[in-house]
Amino acid sequence: MKNHHTKRRFLAGAGALVTAAALALSGAAAAHAADMPATSNIVITKLTTPPTGPGTAATGIAAGQTGGPVIPSGATGINGVVFAAYAVPVQDGGGATLAPGSNAWQQRIGQIDVTAAQSLVGSTPAHTFPATSGTSGGLDQGNTQWDDAPRGLYLIRELSAPDGVTPAGDFLVAVPLTDPSTGTGWLSDIHIYPKNSKVSTTKTVAENGAFPAVGSNVAWTVQADIPRNSTISKYVLEDTLDSRLTYQPTAAVSLAGAGAQSLVACTDPAGTVPANCDYVLDYTAPKLTLTFTAPGRAKLVVEWQARPATKVQLQIVTQVNASALNAANTAAASITNAAVLTVNNAQPVTGTPATVKVGDIKIDKVRAGATGTKVGGAVFSVYANENDAKNRQNPISIDGVTTWATNATTGEAVISGLFFSNFVDGVAVSDPANSRSYWINEVVAPSGYQLLAAPIKVDVTAAGVDVSPTQVQNVPTSGGFVLPLTGGMGTAILTIGGIAILAIVLLVARRRRNAEAAE
């Protein structure tokens, strides 16, 4: 509970600086009015909020020095954040402006909080800080300062931050500020450590390994950080789907992490809205939007405080549709999507994308021994494994098509819409054990040619004009494939031989009869 109050105090005002300033100034100003400096340096170090929370409130003293705040482990500087200081007019009860540094001014600023100051300041800042910068990480990053800030009360506001950084709330700084470590002097440098939560998203994809082609479903998983803020006013995830993906209404939302709480959707199968539901999921083509409700955002705060590693998880199923087929023979092969996260009033952050790559097989059918002769009319199917190819079973169906014929003129057949062999589940792979291959087999031979003796292994690594053809040679029906004609020359020779022998026998028999008659 103590840490919760510390975080809320820090993020609301970093803030308790107003109180510190008022108390320090009121206790020492009368005795040291002559020593009060006309200016002080305001030094801001912008930090991330680590899992342990924002740490202790600033005192004006630099961290690491006696009396300085404790910076929690894991906090690092954030570059690229721009702050502005707005002068807060301090007036007495009658509307008269009080001189900065006077007793009356000190007493009055003790009664002004951030909300009151926001209503008093104008639109033009008294000073705009250079963007926070640094080079070596840790507290050496995220630094900016205003040298010689004149006496006064200032509302410090964050004007801009890098993508994925949730802005800190406004806070107050009084100049000058009593040195709290001694109580007898003033700080020449007033150190402040506002903290931001950095958020990001990632997206991964799992393909259908048994049916790796257009027409199959792929599963996308988005994981998004929970901001480490004591309050979350907005949490929205958006995913605009590529036109080559058809949304399947099976999306699921959860908190990913050991022991994480369960979430309640704002619609159930009966179409009713459960009480205290956590999120609304809406699909309006082509965008899927996940919006957390107030109870859901409160649940996110509880979750990161109890289990800092927990993430919001959105699982989406889409079908790779027919528009991914490469009818134009172009080189476009990638279907890429990324989710966009918006938290509080931070700039939307586009996360790490995931990609499915769809390519082609080109078959170049030629006559064996005369590769310049193109052969049309050969019909092929493609298979996910060698056994199916050998047995011509379970051919891959791409948009309802399972066979492809070679062109009569070019001898070419294009099988378009197969997932890449060397890019699996969104990751480039080089190890053959982790890649996928395809087998093509001839299911109908062209007229005058023999069927292909065995299937051919093919890898899909490109699309359209970038694909190198796979040459397949067909053997014509000639040579050893030609059988002798039934009733042909072989039989005729036997017949002629038989007639000749019979003639000789008859001739010998006649001569013998003639010889016997002459005796």
Side-chain angles (χ1 to χ4, degrees), residues 64-91:
Q65 296 183 7
T66 302
V70 176
I71 304 298
S73 176
T76 58
I78 304 175
N79 291 335
V81 181
V82 178
F83 292 92
Y86 296 81
V88 180
V90 180
Q91 299 174 333

Side-chain angles (χ1 to χ4, degrees), residues 1-11 51-56 230 304-305:
M1 183 63 72
K2 181 177 179 181
N3 285 340
H4 177 72
H5 288 307
T6 300
K7 287 181 283 191
R8 188 169 64 188
R9 225 177 34 246
F10 191 95
L11 294 175
T52 53
T56 59
S230 58
W304 83 256
Q305 290 174 339

Side-chain angles (χ1 to χ4, degrees), residues 29 32 217 227 283 366:
H32 298 278
N217 287 343
Y283 179 69
V366 298

Side-chain angles (χ1 to χ4, degrees), residues 224-458:
D225 294 332
I226 300 173
R228 291 166 182 158
N229 293 9
S230 58
T231 59
I232 300 175
S233 59
K234 182 179 182 180
Y235 195 99
V236 177
L237 260 177
E238 297 175 305
D239 195 338
T240 302
L241 299 177
D242 189 286
S243 62
R244 293 166 289 182
L245 301 173
T246 301
Y247 175 70
Q248 306 296 301
T250 57
V253 181
S254 62
L255 293 177
Q261 305 168 85
S262 59
L263 296 175
V264 179
C266 285
T267 55
D268 61 15
T272 58
V273 179
N276 296 321
C277 60
D278 298 317
Y279 66 88
V280 175
L281 196 58
D282 173 71
Y283 179 69
T284 302
K287 182 187 293 183
L288 179 66
T289 303
L290 168 63
T291 304
F292 274 77
T293 63
R297 296 193 300 271
K299 187 174 285 187
L300 294 182
V301 173
V302 171
E303 188 63 35
W304 83 256
Q305 290 174 339
R307 289 167 287 274
T310 299
K311 295 181 183 294
V312 172
Q313 180 167 282
L314 171 61
Q315 293 174 299
I316 308 166
V317 176
T318 65
Q319 182 187 66
V320 181
N321 60 47
S323 64
L325 295 174
N326 205 338
N329 197 35
T330 63
S334 298
I335 303 175
T336 299
N337 268 93
V340 177
L341 174 63
T342 304
V343 173
N344 296 348
N345 59 340
Q347 291 295 314
V349 56
T350 301
T352 304
T355 300
V356 170
K357 291 190 176 184
V358 179
D360 313 324
I361 294 173
K362 290 184 179 179
I363 299 171
D364 183 22
K365 190 71 167 172
V366 298
R367 178 181 174 131
T371 56
T373 303
K374 305 297 184 179
V375 179
V379 179
F380 288 87
S381 288
V382 62
Y383 304 85
N385 60 72
E386 186 178 16
N387 183 66
D388 282 349
K390 286 180 177 178
N391 293 285
R392 297 191 178 92
Q393 64 186 19
N394 304 317
I396 294 175
S397 173
I398 304 176
D399 195 33
V401 177
T402 58
T403 58
W404 292 264
T406 58
N407 183 275
T409 303
T410 64
E412 183 178 82
V414 179
I415 303 174
S416 181
L418 297 164
F419 294 168
F420 268 36
S421 298
N422 59 348
F423 195 89
V424 180
D425 292 338
V427 179
V429 293
S430 57
D431 186 348
N434 298 323
S435 64
R436 64 166 69 91
S437 293
Y438 299 91
W439 279 261
I440 55 173
N441 205 359
E442 193 172 43
V443 295
V444 178
S447 177
Y449 288 85
Q450 294 293 306
L451 275 171
L452 193 64
I456 297 174
K457 181 180 178 181
V458 180

